[in-house]
Amino acid sequence: MISILRSMWLTFLHVFHKTETVEYPEVKPYLAPRYRGRIVLTRDEEKNERCVACYLCAAACPVDCIALQAAEGENGRRYPEFFRINFSRCIFCGFCEEACPTYAIQLIPDFEMAEYDRQNMVYEKQHLLISGEGKYHGYNFYKNAGVDMGVKGKGEGHNEEKPVDLKELLP
Amino acid sequence: MSLEVNMVKIRIDGKYFEAKPEKNLLETCLSIGIDIPHFCFHPALGSVGACRLCAVKKFRDKDDTKGRIVMSCMEPVTEGLMISVEDPEVKAFRTSVLESLMTNHPHDCPVCDEGGECHLQDMTVMTGHNYRRYDFPKRTYNNQELGPFINHEMNRCIQCYRCVRFYRDYAGGKDLNVFASRNHVYFGRHEDGTLENEFSGNLVEVCPTGVFTDKTLKKHFTRKWDLTNAPSVCVHCSVGCNTIVSERYGSIRRIMSRYNGAVNGYFICDRGRFGYEFLNDEKRIKSVQIRSKKADSLQIIENEQLFTSLNNSELNSKKIVGIGSPRASLESNFALMSLVGKENFYHGISEREYSLTKTISGFFQHSGALIASLKQIEKADAILVLGEDLTNTAPMIALAIRQAARNVPNQEAKKKGIQLWNDAPVRELAQDSKSPVFIATLFKDSLDDVAEVTFHSSSEDIANLGFDIVSGLNNITTDSKTGKKDHQELAGKIAQILKNAKNPLIISGISSGDKAILHAAINIVTSLESVGSGVMMSMVLPDCNSMGLALLPGKSFQDLFILEESHRIDALIVLENDLYRRADEESVNKLFEKCDRVVVLDQLMNKTTQKADILLPAATFAESEGTIVNNEGRAQRFYKAVGNKTQVQESWRWIGELISNRDNNQTDKWNLLDDITESMAIELPLFSKLRKYSPDADFRMLNMKMPRQTIRYSGRTAINANISVSEAKLPQDPDSPLAFSMEGQNENPPSSMVPFYWTPGWNSVQAMYNYLDELDGRMKGGDPGLRLFEQSTGSKRDSLEYNNQKSEVRKNELKIVPVYQIFGSEELSAVSPSIIERIHEPFVFLNPKDSEFFHLSDEESVILEILNIKLNVKVKIENSIVPGQAGLSVNLPGMPYVDIPGTGKFHKL
Ligand code: SF4
Ligand code: SF4
Ligand code: SF4
Ligand code: SF4
Ligand code: FES
């Protein structure tokens, strides 16, 4: 009996509290940058696609909703010929971002993706690719990797020596 | 056959094991299933102790607690050996070795095609090295352009030396080497250029890192974990190497070798590895096409329309003829034979090929001779090759001979107490000494460097040499066929050596097109058997299922040419065969004119398919299940890797439907592969063994089908989402116990049904070790494939006739012999873009004397006329071909059929 009265009293007190209702969609909530929402593909500082089509995100995805195909551009640069995410399956776990060695795939604080038709939840590369660097700035995979795929020459990357001269005889 | 070996007892981390003393410690541990990290050791290449990763601790005796670190790959297995793999000190040692190997490693895995199946990645995980402490600049290398097959990325090298040991020591290549010194060593060619060796593709699997990767895969790159795989058999020559064929998004991505201890072991040749691209070609026939009048063009139709438009009386009539194919499966040929009846079934090969193949298949079936498997070829201690250019007609046999050439020096090493796995001293001791290998061919072969004597001569001389060897073996000295003293001496010497050898091997085949050579080879085998020798033989045939076809009843299709004009054929059914490659254009055209309706089943558009009134899309080996019989009479089954439902289906299934339709049966004649296997077993007792070839379609492991995909197959819910977001049902495969799925049990599958290699911790091809009884030995559960011919002793045989007439060659004419090419002479692989880059223009080998006589210079284009067929060819001056004889490249794309050996003459352009 007492506890019921106590509950009613507490509920009554809420009448005088400041209201917590957010007038969404007029008022947008604050979402931290690390919020895991809609997935984007980013570009590097030279505005080139960051994704090198390594398939790691697809492999990491627990619901297998990422499919892509690697292709070779000029100078052998790897990029995804197509890149598809089926958002009707995606659980926004962020594993793909975690797995990505190039910071290409990123989850951003946007969750407004509702659709009437489930088919519209299938995003292709043109829907995913943004023009900026996203959350992580200043990283270009090709400058750190040993390969020469047209971005930098052999030995010009981060912490690399000039290519070995095979003819030299010095010990 | 294997000798009982004395096993010894060894102790590994406190547990006792039985081990074979002729193996090294690393092999032994890997065979038992104890994972020891390693790089430079490869079961086919032996040990050199270069990488220092395979360290274990060895203890002197029970009281020794300290022990010392040794390299397990360099450690012989001896009685009472005590080692520890798990000792903390040795584990730390291995980790630090790996760490130092990684100091210069590029940050490449995401763009490295080896990633996901990289032995280096596996070893890094296995040793536990996970954090880079070395913060100094990395060494870099420039890469080389190595041709259409192999991509080069030298930064990834860990200096294990496997590549050069395979390429130079094992495969006999000359143009890959190690350059520079100290920590700058470089593995590549002396300059950019195509890797010439015919087995270069194996570098992809041998190199434990991503230095050498598959360039054809690179163009449509897919990670191993995303591939849908199937156990398959190479269809590009008669050896029948076992392969793994892999698919993604409906197209075939690559071919890898599949281990078969009795056939190809770890390797395949480049034609087999890179020839697959024809599967994705635009010229593929994908739909049913039909024309109602001869003048119309082909129209695409639905399957149902086909059966309504087919005139049943046509298929019922007596005047229906089927032409089978040596590149179609046994089942498809059998189905066609069932449809048209035995008396109307013809083998779609030239008259010459037909009779020679029949000679071989007949001999194999009835003689009880010991027919060597590829593995047995490697064991031979004296070899005679008669008239077969093996590198081009059966590449893997050439590779096997290369290994056999080491057997005699290996015995020497054994006598000196050197174990055979100890590669460096064994080779050092052998120097240039080799087992006796005699190669008698029409012109040079890249195998010549292992030969003790090469004998390049005319086909008559080669056959005569063979017959003289027979005389030598039978101790008849009077009757020399060669009539030349030096030839006779050589024959005597070869006879002597073959007689004294324990396991001599005679290899011949039909590519020379010469009956006398074949008879000579067979007679040598017969004579050797009669003196009690353990002689083995091997015969090379032209196509992947030449043997299978030869074992079916049927006539040569050239019998059809001689039918009278008035004889009409109601329906001619051509099975996976371009008849214009089998006989001259005129005759084939005439044959088609005699037919009211032509039904063609094939995979690629060609001249024959253009003549079709009904064209049915036949599945390739990658899209179907079937059986082919290799040159030693081993029936092997391939399984499909592509599951998508299209109009393309197995030829035997098409024909089965035609039969049901004709007989107005509601149910298909053969629902499943097992059904047609059963029919075949009943009708042709030779094939009854096939019933137990492998588990039936309803075989299950843990109540599930076996997966074709790895557990990490990705993108299941997105691959088809662009078409429909609701996931479609998985493709079904009622014919086999394999599923188009990642679910199911993939541990220890039956040996004939290994779709891919993967075991925990082993993502690279090295995972294969866990599928073997012991390294380099049999697969668990026995090697796949069923031998159709039994060896038996005591069957008495007469020798074949000597019928070696010198062909008439007029003045101003030359004898023309065929020159086969590994790249180009085989129909399907010749469509692959990578192979096309390696195909030569049609050419003719000419001795310098002849070129002088005809006033022709090297590289000059000239018209060669053979039997009224004029060919535009390039002259190649070749010292190894004898004067009076010229070698014409055959079966190259665009070349018409020419019936050679024959005579020909030149016309200047
Ligand atoms: S993990 Fe990153 S780089 Fe790799 S395929 Fe995915 S998005 Fe591209
Ligand atoms: S060789 Fe292996 S470890 Fe090296 S970059 Fe390639 S996948 Fe990575
Ligand atoms: S290229 Fe490959 S096989 Fe050759 S030494 Fe380097 S890592 Fe070893
Ligand atoms: S040897 Fe013949 S069967 Fe073997 S891989 Fe080469 S082409 Fe294929
Ligand atoms: S495998 Fe033993 S040292 Fe390399």
PDB file of all heavy atoms in Angstrom, chain A residues 55 59 64 68-69 72 84 86 89 119 154 161 164, chain B residues 138 140-141 153 218 221 249 253 712 717 719 721 725 727:
ATOM      1  N   TYR A  55      38.814  -6.565 -49.641  1.00  0.00           N
ATOM      2  CA  TYR A  55      37.790  -7.534 -49.211  1.00  0.00           C
ATOM      3  C   TYR A  55      37.778  -7.798 -47.711  1.00  0.00           C
ATOM      4  O   TYR A  55      37.093  -8.696 -47.245  1.00  0.00           O
ATOM      5  CB  TYR A  55      37.958  -8.895 -49.918  1.00  0.00           C
ATOM      6  CG  TYR A  55      37.758  -8.871 -51.406  1.00  0.00           C
ATOM      7  CD1 TYR A  55      38.847  -8.800 -52.267  1.00  0.00           C
ATOM      8  CD2 TYR A  55      36.491  -8.946 -51.961  1.00  0.00           C
ATOM      9  CE1 TYR A  55      38.679  -8.797 -53.638  1.00  0.00           C
ATOM     10  CE2 TYR A  55      36.318  -8.947 -53.335  1.00  0.00           C
ATOM     11  CZ  TYR A  55      37.408  -8.878 -54.163  1.00  0.00           C
ATOM     12  OH  TYR A  55      37.234  -8.897 -55.513  1.00  0.00           O
ATOM     13  N   ALA A  59      34.844  -9.611 -45.411  1.00  0.00           N
ATOM     14  CA  ALA A  59      35.129 -10.804 -44.624  1.00  0.00           C
ATOM     15  C   ALA A  59      34.766 -10.600 -43.166  1.00  0.00           C
ATOM     16  O   ALA A  59      34.357 -11.535 -42.485  1.00  0.00           O
ATOM     17  CB  ALA A  59      36.599 -11.177 -44.755  1.00  0.00           C
ATOM     18  N   ASP A  64      27.371 -10.632 -43.610  1.00  0.00           N
ATOM     19  CA  ASP A  64      27.774 -10.802 -45.008  1.00  0.00           C
ATOM     20  C   ASP A  64      27.024  -9.878 -45.957  1.00  0.00           C
ATOM     21  O   ASP A  64      26.564 -10.291 -47.019  1.00  0.00           O
ATOM     22  CB  ASP A  64      27.554 -12.259 -45.463  1.00  0.00           C
ATOM     23  CG  ASP A  64      28.578 -13.183 -44.846  1.00  0.00           C
ATOM     24  OD1 ASP A  64      29.601 -12.675 -44.365  1.00  0.00           O
ATOM     25  OD2 ASP A  64      28.361 -14.410 -44.852  1.00  0.00           O
ATOM     26  N   LEU A  68      31.841  -6.804 -53.144  1.00  0.00           N
ATOM     27  CA  LEU A  68      32.572  -5.900 -54.018  1.00  0.00           C
ATOM     28  C   LEU A  68      33.406  -6.724 -54.984  1.00  0.00           C
ATOM     29  O   LEU A  68      33.520  -7.942 -54.855  1.00  0.00           O
ATOM     30  CB  LEU A  68      33.477  -4.955 -53.213  1.00  0.00           C
ATOM     31  CG  LEU A  68      34.653  -5.593 -52.470  1.00  0.00           C
ATOM     32  CD1 LEU A  68      35.831  -4.642 -52.455  1.00  0.00           C
ATOM     33  CD2 LEU A  68      34.255  -5.914 -51.041  1.00  0.00           C
ATOM     34  N   GLN A  69      33.965  -6.052 -55.968  1.00  0.00           N
ATOM     35  CA  GLN A  69      34.878  -6.701 -56.894  1.00  0.00           C
ATOM     36  C   GLN A  69      36.052  -5.766 -57.133  1.00  0.00           C
ATOM     37  O   GLN A  69      35.866  -4.595 -57.433  1.00  0.00           O
ATOM     38  CB  GLN A  69      34.179  -7.025 -58.223  1.00  0.00           C
ATOM     39  CG  GLN A  69      35.104  -7.551 -59.305  1.00  0.00           C
ATOM     40  CD  GLN A  69      35.838  -8.817 -58.877  1.00  0.00           C
ATOM     41  OE1 GLN A  69      35.222  -9.783 -58.433  1.00  0.00           O
ATOM     42  NE2 GLN A  69      37.165  -8.816 -58.954  1.00  0.00           N
ATOM     43  N   GLU A  72      41.566  -3.045 -61.550  1.00  0.00           N
ATOM     44  CA  GLU A  72      42.834  -2.333 -61.603  1.00  0.00           C
ATOM     45  C   GLU A  72      42.697  -1.101 -62.472  1.00  0.00           C
ATOM     46  O   GLU A  72      42.269  -1.182 -63.614  1.00  0.00           O
ATOM     47  CB  GLU A  72      43.915  -3.231 -62.190  1.00  0.00           C
ATOM     48  CG  GLU A  72      44.299  -4.306 -61.235  1.00  0.00           C
ATOM     49  CD  GLU A  72      45.490  -5.082 -61.724  1.00  0.00           C
ATOM     50  OE1 GLU A  72      45.575  -5.357 -62.923  1.00  0.00           O
ATOM     51  OE2 GLU A  72      46.337  -5.395 -60.890  1.00  0.00           O
ATOM     52  N   ARG A  84      28.917  -2.882 -52.882  1.00  0.00           N
ATOM     53  CA  ARG A  84      27.500  -2.921 -52.559  1.00  0.00           C
ATOM     54  C   ARG A  84      27.324  -3.250 -51.081  1.00  0.00           C
ATOM     55  O   ARG A  84      27.954  -4.169 -50.568  1.00  0.00           O
ATOM     56  CB  ARG A  84      26.826  -3.986 -53.421  1.00  0.00           C
ATOM     57  CG  ARG A  84      25.319  -4.084 -53.272  1.00  0.00           C
ATOM     58  CD  ARG A  84      24.762  -5.133 -54.222  1.00  0.00           C
ATOM     59  NE  ARG A  84      25.189  -4.876 -55.587  1.00  0.00           N
ATOM     60  CZ  ARG A  84      25.700  -5.806 -56.396  1.00  0.00           C
ATOM     61  NH1 ARG A  84      25.852  -7.042 -55.984  1.00  0.00           N
ATOM     62  NH2 ARG A  84      26.086  -5.479 -57.613  1.00  0.00           N
ATOM     63  N   ASN A  86      24.182  -4.050 -48.470  1.00  0.00           N
ATOM     64  CA  ASN A  86      22.761  -4.284 -48.295  1.00  0.00           C
ATOM     65  C   ASN A  86      22.390  -3.833 -46.885  1.00  0.00           C
ATOM     66  O   ASN A  86      22.533  -4.575 -45.929  1.00  0.00           O
ATOM     67  CB  ASN A  86      22.479  -5.775 -48.511  1.00  0.00           C
ATOM     68  CG  ASN A  86      21.024  -6.121 -48.308  1.00  0.00           C
ATOM     69  OD1 ASN A  86      20.223  -5.276 -47.922  1.00  0.00           O
ATOM     70  ND2 ASN A  86      20.682  -7.373 -48.554  1.00  0.00           N
ATOM     71  N   ARG A  89      20.325  -5.570 -44.246  1.00  0.00           N
ATOM     72  CA  ARG A  89      20.937  -6.632 -43.457  1.00  0.00           C
ATOM     73  C   ARG A  89      21.918  -6.092 -42.421  1.00  0.00           C
ATOM     74  O   ARG A  89      22.203  -6.744 -41.432  1.00  0.00           O
ATOM     75  CB  ARG A  89      21.692  -7.588 -44.381  1.00  0.00           C
ATOM     76  CG  ARG A  89      20.794  -8.496 -45.169  1.00  0.00           C
ATOM     77  CD  ARG A  89      20.252  -9.559 -44.273  1.00  0.00           C
ATOM     78  NE  ARG A  89      19.460 -10.513 -45.019  1.00  0.00           N
ATOM     79  CZ  ARG A  89      18.878 -11.568 -44.451  1.00  0.00           C
ATOM     80  NH1 ARG A  89      19.017 -11.785 -43.174  1.00  0.00           N
ATOM     81  NH2 ARG A  89      18.162 -12.392 -45.169  1.00  0.00           N
ATOM     82  N   GLN A 119      14.104  -2.754 -51.207  1.00  0.00           N
ATOM     83  CA  GLN A 119      15.100  -2.766 -52.284  1.00  0.00           C
ATOM     84  C   GLN A 119      15.957  -1.491 -52.269  1.00  0.00           C
ATOM     85  O   GLN A 119      17.121  -1.510 -52.625  1.00  0.00           O
ATOM     86  CB  GLN A 119      14.385  -2.913 -53.638  1.00  0.00           C
ATOM     87  CG  GLN A 119      15.310  -3.106 -54.834  1.00  0.00           C
ATOM     88  CD  GLN A 119      16.089  -4.425 -54.783  1.00  0.00           C
ATOM     89  OE1 GLN A 119      15.514  -5.479 -54.512  1.00  0.00           O
ATOM     90  NE2 GLN A 119      17.387  -4.363 -54.998  1.00  0.00           N
ATOM     91  N   LYS A 154      58.742   3.210 -56.144  1.00  0.00           N
ATOM     92  CA  LYS A 154      59.414   2.316 -55.206  1.00  0.00           C
ATOM     93  C   LYS A 154      60.449   3.100 -54.419  1.00  0.00           C
ATOM     94  O   LYS A 154      61.228   3.864 -54.986  1.00  0.00           O
ATOM     95  CB  LYS A 154      60.091   1.180 -55.962  1.00  0.00           C
ATOM     96  CG  LYS A 154      59.165   0.024 -56.283  1.00  0.00           C
ATOM     97  CD  LYS A 154      58.896  -0.807 -55.046  1.00  0.00           C
ATOM     98  CE  LYS A 154      57.868  -1.885 -55.256  1.00  0.00           C
ATOM     99  NZ  LYS A 154      58.386  -3.039 -55.951  1.00  0.00           N
ATOM    100  N   GLU A 161      63.882   2.828 -48.075  1.00  0.00           N
ATOM    101  CA  GLU A 161      65.158   3.129 -48.729  1.00  0.00           C
ATOM    102  C   GLU A 161      64.961   3.148 -50.231  1.00  0.00           C
ATOM    103  O   GLU A 161      64.011   2.581 -50.747  1.00  0.00           O
ATOM    104  CB  GLU A 161      66.185   2.051 -48.380  1.00  0.00           C
ATOM    105  CG  GLU A 161      66.754   2.199 -46.995  1.00  0.00           C
ATOM    106  CD  GLU A 161      67.543   0.953 -46.586  1.00  0.00           C
ATOM    107  OE1 GLU A 161      67.666   0.027 -47.420  1.00  0.00           O
ATOM    108  OE2 GLU A 161      68.007   0.921 -45.446  1.00  0.00           O
ATOM    109  N   VAL A 164      67.053  -1.197 -54.287  1.00  0.00           N
ATOM    110  CA  VAL A 164      68.376  -1.813 -54.325  1.00  0.00           C
ATOM    111  C   VAL A 164      68.943  -1.758 -55.743  1.00  0.00           C
ATOM    112  O   VAL A 164      68.238  -2.035 -56.704  1.00  0.00           O
ATOM    113  CB  VAL A 164      68.244  -3.283 -53.872  1.00  0.00           C
ATOM    114  CG1 VAL A 164      69.488  -4.065 -54.194  1.00  0.00           C
ATOM    115  CG2 VAL A 164      67.905  -3.346 -52.397  1.00  0.00           C
TER     116      VAL A 164
ATOM    117  N   LYS B 138      62.880   0.609 -44.697  1.00  0.00           N
ATOM    118  CA  LYS B 138      62.776  -0.726 -45.292  1.00  0.00           C
ATOM    119  C   LYS B 138      63.494  -0.760 -46.623  1.00  0.00           C
ATOM    120  O   LYS B 138      63.466   0.201 -47.380  1.00  0.00           O
ATOM    121  CB  LYS B 138      61.306  -1.068 -45.531  1.00  0.00           C
ATOM    122  CG  LYS B 138      60.493  -1.193 -44.293  1.00  0.00           C
ATOM    123  CD  LYS B 138      59.037  -1.401 -44.697  1.00  0.00           C
ATOM    124  CE  LYS B 138      58.164  -1.470 -43.460  1.00  0.00           C
ATOM    125  NZ  LYS B 138      56.754  -1.595 -43.820  1.00  0.00           N
ATOM    126  N   THR B 140      63.858  -1.713 -50.429  1.00  0.00           N
ATOM    127  CA  THR B 140      62.878  -1.876 -51.517  1.00  0.00           C
ATOM    128  C   THR B 140      63.577  -2.400 -52.779  1.00  0.00           C
ATOM    129  O   THR B 140      64.798  -2.293 -52.907  1.00  0.00           O
ATOM    130  CB  THR B 140      62.174  -0.552 -51.871  1.00  0.00           C
ATOM    131  OG1 THR B 140      63.156   0.373 -52.348  1.00  0.00           O
ATOM    132  CG2 THR B 140      61.452   0.040 -50.683  1.00  0.00           C
ATOM    133  N   TYR B 141      62.795  -2.965 -53.651  1.00  0.00           N
ATOM    134  CA  TYR B 141      63.307  -3.472 -54.931  1.00  0.00           C
ATOM    135  C   TYR B 141      62.417  -2.989 -56.054  1.00  0.00           C
ATOM    136  O   TYR B 141      61.206  -2.806 -55.855  1.00  0.00           O
ATOM    137  CB  TYR B 141      63.254  -4.995 -54.982  1.00  0.00           C
ATOM    138  CG  TYR B 141      64.146  -5.738 -54.035  1.00  0.00           C
ATOM    139  CD1 TYR B 141      63.611  -6.365 -52.919  1.00  0.00           C
ATOM    140  CD2 TYR B 141      65.501  -5.866 -54.280  1.00  0.00           C
ATOM    141  CE1 TYR B 141      64.416  -7.099 -52.060  1.00  0.00           C
ATOM    142  CE2 TYR B 141      66.309  -6.591 -53.427  1.00  0.00           C
ATOM    143  CZ  TYR B 141      65.763  -7.210 -52.317  1.00  0.00           C
ATOM    144  OH  TYR B 141      66.562  -7.935 -51.482  1.00  0.00           O
ATOM    145  N   GLU B 153      56.446  -8.943 -57.387  1.00  0.00           N
ATOM    146  CA  GLU B 153      56.475  -7.846 -56.403  1.00  0.00           C
ATOM    147  C   GLU B 153      57.554  -8.197 -55.393  1.00  0.00           C
ATOM    148  O   GLU B 153      57.296  -8.829 -54.374  1.00  0.00           O
ATOM    149  CB  GLU B 153      55.102  -7.700 -55.745  1.00  0.00           C
ATOM    150  CG  GLU B 153      54.996  -6.555 -54.747  1.00  0.00           C
ATOM    151  CD  GLU B 153      55.440  -5.208 -55.275  1.00  0.00           C
ATOM    152  OE1 GLU B 153      54.813  -4.709 -56.213  1.00  0.00           O
ATOM    153  OE2 GLU B 153      56.431  -4.654 -54.747  1.00  0.00           O
ATOM    154  N   LYS B 218      44.794 -11.745 -61.040  1.00  0.00           N
ATOM    155  CA  LYS B 218      44.904 -10.338 -60.676  1.00  0.00           C
ATOM    156  C   LYS B 218      43.881  -9.493 -61.423  1.00  0.00           C
ATOM    157  O   LYS B 218      43.390  -8.506 -60.902  1.00  0.00           O
ATOM    158  CB  LYS B 218      46.333  -9.900 -61.041  1.00  0.00           C
ATOM    159  CG  LYS B 218      46.768  -8.577 -60.489  1.00  0.00           C
ATOM    160  CD  LYS B 218      48.284  -8.462 -60.675  1.00  0.00           C
ATOM    161  CE  LYS B 218      48.817  -7.165 -60.102  1.00  0.00           C
ATOM    162  NZ  LYS B 218      48.709  -6.048 -61.014  1.00  0.00           N
ATOM    163  N   PHE B 221      40.508 -10.080 -59.439  1.00  0.00           N
ATOM    164  CA  PHE B 221      40.997 -10.640 -58.189  1.00  0.00           C
ATOM    165  C   PHE B 221      39.891 -10.950 -57.186  1.00  0.00           C
ATOM    166  O   PHE B 221      38.955 -10.184 -56.985  1.00  0.00           O
ATOM    167  CB  PHE B 221      42.026  -9.698 -57.547  1.00  0.00           C
ATOM    168  CG  PHE B 221      42.568 -10.257 -56.276  1.00  0.00           C
ATOM    169  CD1 PHE B 221      43.298 -11.433 -56.305  1.00  0.00           C
ATOM    170  CD2 PHE B 221      42.294  -9.669 -55.058  1.00  0.00           C
ATOM    171  CE1 PHE B 221      43.753 -12.006 -55.128  1.00  0.00           C
ATOM    172  CE2 PHE B 221      42.760 -10.230 -53.882  1.00  0.00           C
ATOM    173  CZ  PHE B 221      43.487 -11.392 -53.912  1.00  0.00           C
ATOM    174  N   TYR B 249      31.041 -14.834 -58.508  1.00  0.00           N
ATOM    175  CA  TYR B 249      30.096 -14.050 -59.313  1.00  0.00           C
ATOM    176  C   TYR B 249      29.860 -14.690 -60.684  1.00  0.00           C
ATOM    177  O   TYR B 249      29.762 -13.999 -61.689  1.00  0.00           O
ATOM    178  CB  TYR B 249      30.590 -12.628 -59.521  1.00  0.00           C
ATOM    179  CG  TYR B 249      30.861 -11.833 -58.264  1.00  0.00           C
ATOM    180  CD1 TYR B 249      32.007 -11.045 -58.155  1.00  0.00           C
ATOM    181  CD2 TYR B 249      29.967 -11.853 -57.204  1.00  0.00           C
ATOM    182  CE1 TYR B 249      32.259 -10.309 -57.009  1.00  0.00           C
ATOM    183  CE2 TYR B 249      30.219 -11.121 -56.048  1.00  0.00           C
ATOM    184  CZ  TYR B 249      31.355 -10.347 -55.961  1.00  0.00           C
ATOM    185  OH  TYR B 249      31.618  -9.615 -54.830  1.00  0.00           O
ATOM    186  N   ARG B 253      37.682 -17.897 -61.737  1.00  0.00           N
ATOM    187  CA  ARG B 253      38.740 -16.973 -61.352  1.00  0.00           C
ATOM    188  C   ARG B 253      40.132 -17.558 -61.472  1.00  0.00           C
ATOM    189  O   ARG B 253      41.097 -16.859 -61.732  1.00  0.00           O
ATOM    190  CB  ARG B 253      38.515 -16.477 -59.919  1.00  0.00           C
ATOM    191  CG  ARG B 253      37.183 -15.721 -59.752  1.00  0.00           C
ATOM    192  CD  ARG B 253      37.167 -14.540 -60.692  1.00  0.00           C
ATOM    193  NE  ARG B 253      35.848 -13.988 -60.941  1.00  0.00           N
ATOM    194  CZ  ARG B 253      35.426 -12.829 -60.454  1.00  0.00           C
ATOM    195  NH1 ARG B 253      36.173 -12.129 -59.654  1.00  0.00           N
ATOM    196  NH2 ARG B 253      34.236 -12.375 -60.787  1.00  0.00           N
ATOM    197  N   ARG B 712      34.656 -18.589 -44.328  1.00  0.00           N
ATOM    198  CA  ARG B 712      34.637 -17.130 -44.317  1.00  0.00           C
ATOM    199  C   ARG B 712      34.151 -16.567 -45.650  1.00  0.00           C
ATOM    200  O   ARG B 712      34.450 -15.430 -45.997  1.00  0.00           O
ATOM    201  CB  ARG B 712      36.037 -16.611 -43.936  1.00  0.00           C
ATOM    202  CG  ARG B 712      36.114 -15.204 -43.386  1.00  0.00           C
ATOM    203  CD  ARG B 712      35.005 -14.828 -42.438  1.00  0.00           C
ATOM    204  NE  ARG B 712      33.879 -14.246 -43.153  1.00  0.00           N
ATOM    205  CZ  ARG B 712      32.653 -14.110 -42.709  1.00  0.00           C
ATOM    206  NH1 ARG B 712      32.335 -14.496 -41.520  1.00  0.00           N
ATOM    207  NH2 ARG B 712      31.717 -13.582 -43.447  1.00  0.00           N
ATOM    208  N   THR B 717      24.641 -11.979 -48.475  1.00  0.00           N
ATOM    209  CA  THR B 717      23.377 -11.240 -48.516  1.00  0.00           C
ATOM    210  C   THR B 717      23.459  -9.996 -49.399  1.00  0.00           C
ATOM    211  O   THR B 717      22.535  -9.210 -49.438  1.00  0.00           O
ATOM    212  CB  THR B 717      22.934 -10.837 -47.098  1.00  0.00           C
ATOM    213  OG1 THR B 717      23.893  -9.914 -46.579  1.00  0.00           O
ATOM    214  CG2 THR B 717      22.832 -12.037 -46.189  1.00  0.00           C
ATOM    215  N   ILE B 719      25.471 -10.152 -52.665  1.00  0.00           N
ATOM    216  CA  ILE B 719      25.897 -10.461 -54.030  1.00  0.00           C
ATOM    217  C   ILE B 719      24.787 -10.210 -55.040  1.00  0.00           C
ATOM    218  O   ILE B 719      24.983  -9.555 -56.053  1.00  0.00           O
ATOM    219  CB  ILE B 719      26.392 -11.921 -54.130  1.00  0.00           C
ATOM    220  CG1 ILE B 719      27.684 -12.083 -53.337  1.00  0.00           C
ATOM    221  CG2 ILE B 719      26.613 -12.322 -55.576  1.00  0.00           C
ATOM    222  CD1 ILE B 719      28.195 -13.485 -53.245  1.00  0.00           C
ATOM    223  N   ALA B 721      21.901  -8.662 -54.271  1.00  0.00           N
ATOM    224  CA  ALA B 721      20.962  -7.673 -53.742  1.00  0.00           C
ATOM    225  C   ALA B 721      20.623  -6.604 -54.763  1.00  0.00           C
ATOM    226  O   ALA B 721      19.579  -5.965 -54.676  1.00  0.00           O
ATOM    227  CB  ALA B 721      21.525  -7.046 -52.477  1.00  0.00           C
ATOM    228  N   VAL B 725      16.563  -7.822 -53.357  1.00  0.00           N
ATOM    229  CA  VAL B 725      17.093  -7.749 -52.007  1.00  0.00           C
ATOM    230  C   VAL B 725      16.735  -8.996 -51.197  1.00  0.00           C
ATOM    231  O   VAL B 725      17.378  -9.318 -50.213  1.00  0.00           O
ATOM    232  CB  VAL B 725      16.636  -6.443 -51.327  1.00  0.00           C
ATOM    233  CG1 VAL B 725      15.149  -6.503 -51.038  1.00  0.00           C
ATOM    234  CG2 VAL B 725      17.442  -6.130 -50.086  1.00  0.00           C
ATOM    235  N   GLU B 727      16.952 -12.746 -50.551  1.00  0.00           N
ATOM    236  CA  GLU B 727      17.970 -13.696 -50.993  1.00  0.00           C
ATOM    237  C   GLU B 727      17.353 -14.892 -51.696  1.00  0.00           C
ATOM    238  O   GLU B 727      16.379 -15.464 -51.239  1.00  0.00           O
ATOM    239  CB  GLU B 727      18.796 -14.187 -49.803  1.00  0.00           C
ATOM    240  CG  GLU B 727      19.828 -13.179 -49.389  1.00  0.00           C
ATOM    241  CD  GLU B 727      19.608 -12.707 -47.971  1.00  0.00           C
ATOM    242  OE1 GLU B 727      19.423 -13.572 -47.113  1.00  0.00           O
ATOM    243  OE2 GLU B 727      19.591 -11.487 -47.747  1.00  0.00           O
TER     244      GLU B 727
END
